[in-house]
């Protein structure tokens, strides 16, 4: 049996018009061609769907039972075509987007909000990951886009620079160094540090380690934390000092003091990256929204040495 779409369309048109001439006009067909199409369909099905006379056309019981399902099949086809068109235009589908703590506290929320407002039928699945994990997942095409830290991780990937930020020192309110306008790096050598956990913050910690090594020490780790707000809260609680990025949201805190560092600190580069060969209109639309929300141009890749870390008890 080879019932085709043209058979269904012809059948539904005649069933709704109950007139071959009007149905032919509706389908922009010659009436003899329409009659042949109906006869072909009846022959293929082995069922008579219309009772014809010189003055009237009526559905047979078999034709009436077939009409509802024929309409449903045509509606499903129309919906399938429309969905395919929407996928093609990036209006339907899903994206998997990785992020780190810097992104979720800065660029990512307004980007996702604008994208979901503009493309409500695209599902955005967010995954918290370390920057190296994101870079690897993008290369293996397991991730559509990643918001990560470290331009040296994405040299071969398409990317947008989100922010370039200097390192600063975070101190508890009332700390002995808080009265200084800037903090000499060497003055932190004996201080307990609150830092991000090695599992999720490796790229950032490599930058901090390399910077501190210039002053002849590695941070004395008193406490690790998985998230930025935890780091800041632990500093506020007096668990130690930290070296963090010059983030606006931290400046609003009244229980933490942010001070610039005397020695020129490295620039921490946050980027949004994706695979250059991953072709998706939905991804293209997400990239365009990211460009709208975030200004900046791509920076040159950079590398930082990896240093070992020693852990000491908190004082």
């Amino acid at each position: 049996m080879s019932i085709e779409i043209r058979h269904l369309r012809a059948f539904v048109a005649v069933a709704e018009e109950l007139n071959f001439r009007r149905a032919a006009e509706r389908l922009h067909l010659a009436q003899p061609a329409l009659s042949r199409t109906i006869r072909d369909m009846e022959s293929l099905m082995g069922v008579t769907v219309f009772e014809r006379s010189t003055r009237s056309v009526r559905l047979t019981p078999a034709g009436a039972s077939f009409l509802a399902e024929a309409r449903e099949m045509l509606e499903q086809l129309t919906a399938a075509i429309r969905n395919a068109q929407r996928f093609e235009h990036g209006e339907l589908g899903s994206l998997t987007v990785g992020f780190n703590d810097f992104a979720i506290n800065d660029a990512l929320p307004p980007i996702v909000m604008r994208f979901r407002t503009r493309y409500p039928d695209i599902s955005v699945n967010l995954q918290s990951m370390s920057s190296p994990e994101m870079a690897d997942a993008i290369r293996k095409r397991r991730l559509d886009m990643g918001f990560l830290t470290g331009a040296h991780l994405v040299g071969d990937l398409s990317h947008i620079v989100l922010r370039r930020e200097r390192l600063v020192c975070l101190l508890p309110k009332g700390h002995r160094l808080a009265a200084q306008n800037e903090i000499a790096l060497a003055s932190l050598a004996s201080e307990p540090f609150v830092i991000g956990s090695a599992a999720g913050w490796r790229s950032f910690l490599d930058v901090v380690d390399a910077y501190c090594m210039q002053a002849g020490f590695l941070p004395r780790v008193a406490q690790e934390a998985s998230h930025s707000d935890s780091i800041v809260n632990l500093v506020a609680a007096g668990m130690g000092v930290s070296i963090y990025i010059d983030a606006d949201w931290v400046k609003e805190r009244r229980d933490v003091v942010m001070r610039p560092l005397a020695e020129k600190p490295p620039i921490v580069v946050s980027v949004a990256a994706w695979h250059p060969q991953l072709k998706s209109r939905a991804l293209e639309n997400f990239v365009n929204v990211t460009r709208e929300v975030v200004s900046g141009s791509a920076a040159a890749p950079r590398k930082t040495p990896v240093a070992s870390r020693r852990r000491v008890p908190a004082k």
Side-chain angles (χ1 to χ4, degrees):
M1 185 178 293
S2 299
I3 299 296
E4 300 174 8
I5 298 302
R6 64 185 180 90
H7 293 124
L8 297 178
R9 286 176 174 155
F11 167 68
V12 170
V14 175
E16 292 177 346
E17 298 291 344
L18 292 178
N19 183 286
F20 273 80
R21 178 182 58 79
R22 289 195 301 268
E25 291 173 354
R26 172 173 153 181
L27 296 172
H28 306 289
L29 291 175
Q31 186 172 331
L34 177 59
S35 296
R36 285 195 301 271
T37 300
I38 295 298
R39 287 196 301 269
D40 288 346
M41 187 188 79
E42 290 177 321
S43 175
L44 288 166
M45 293 175 62
V47 172
T48 300
V49 294
F50 292 113
E51 292 180 358
R52 308 163 180 85
S53 71
T54 56
R55 289 187 291 184
S56 67
V57 176
R58 291 188 304 172
L59 281 164
T60 65
S65 69
F66 184 55
L67 178 57
E69 296 187 28
R71 282 177 173 151
E72 184 177 348
M73 285 186 279
L74 290 175
E75 288 171 359
Q76 289 176 345
L77 175 64
T78 300
I81 292 172
R82 176 58 182 152
N83 285 344
Q85 291 170 338
R86 296 187 69 202
F87 269 104
E88 177 67 19
H89 293 100
E91 299 172 357
L92 190 66
S94 65
L95 291 171
T96 303
V97 177
F99 67 92
N100 64 8
D101 248 43
F102 294 161
I104 202 64
N105 282 297
D106 182 61
L108 188 57
I111 291 170
V112 172
M113 180 177 292
R114 182 175 298 188
F115 183 80
R116 285 174 57 82
T117 299
R118 193 173 297 174
Y119 304 101
D121 293 326
I122 296 181
S123 172
V124 180
N125 305 308
L126 298 175
Q127 295 184 6
S128 177
M129 305 171 68
S130 71
S131 294
E133 286 174 336
M134 279 187 271
D136 182 63
I138 292 168
R139 290 187 176 92
K140 293 178 179 177
R141 307 193 188 191
R142 296 174 182 168
L143 202 63
D144 293 300
M145 195 170 187
F147 287 72
L148 54 95
T149 301
H152 64 286
L153 296 173
V154 297
D156 60 331
L157 300 175
S158 298
H159 61 275
I160 302 168
V161 172
L162 304 173
R163 296 190 67 168
R164 295 181 175 88
E165 296 163 303
R166 293 188 180 279
L167 298 181
V168 294
C169 181
L170 300 185
L171 304 162
K173 186 178 180 180
H175 190 277
R176 64 181 181 83
L177 298 175
Q180 299 183 14
N181 292 328
E182 61 179 18
I183 307 299
L185 194 57
S187 67
L188 301 176
S190 61
E191 293 288 333
F193 268 71
V194 178
I195 63 168
S197 60
W201 290 68
R202 183 71 268 160
S203 293
F204 179 74
L205 297 179
D206 288 345
V207 175
V208 173
D209 281 347
Y211 181 49
C212 291
M213 285 289 286
Q214 296 176 14
F217 75 97
L218 283 172
R220 300 174 60 247
V221 182
Q223 185 68 48
E224 293 184 353
S226 299
H227 303 291
S228 291
D229 54 352
S230 298
I231 292 173
V232 177
N233 286 334
L234 288 168
V235 171
M239 293 295 293
V241 304
S242 188
I243 292 179
Y244 191 72
I245 58 173
D246 186 11
D248 291 338
W249 70 273
V250 181
K251 295 176 183 177
E252 299 175 359
R253 298 282 297 249
R254 295 292 177 262
D255 51 357
V256 173
V257 176
M258 180 185 289
R259 291 289 181 264
L261 291 154
E263 294 82 1
K264 183 179 179 180
I267 301 299
V268 176
V269 182
S270 295
V271 302
W274 63 97
H275 198 289
Q277 296 179 354
L278 189 59
K279 305 300 181 183
S280 160
R281 185 62 63 87
L283 176 59
E284 181 181 329
N285 290 340
F286 197 89
V287 170
N288 289 338
V289 169
T290 300
R291 293 187 192 276
E292 290 176 12
V293 176
V294 182
S295 62
S297 57
R302 54 187 289 125
K303 294 185 177 180
T304 46
V306 177
S308 61
R309 177 176 302 282
R310 55 194 175 94
R311 185 178 181 88
V312 299
K315 290 183 178 179

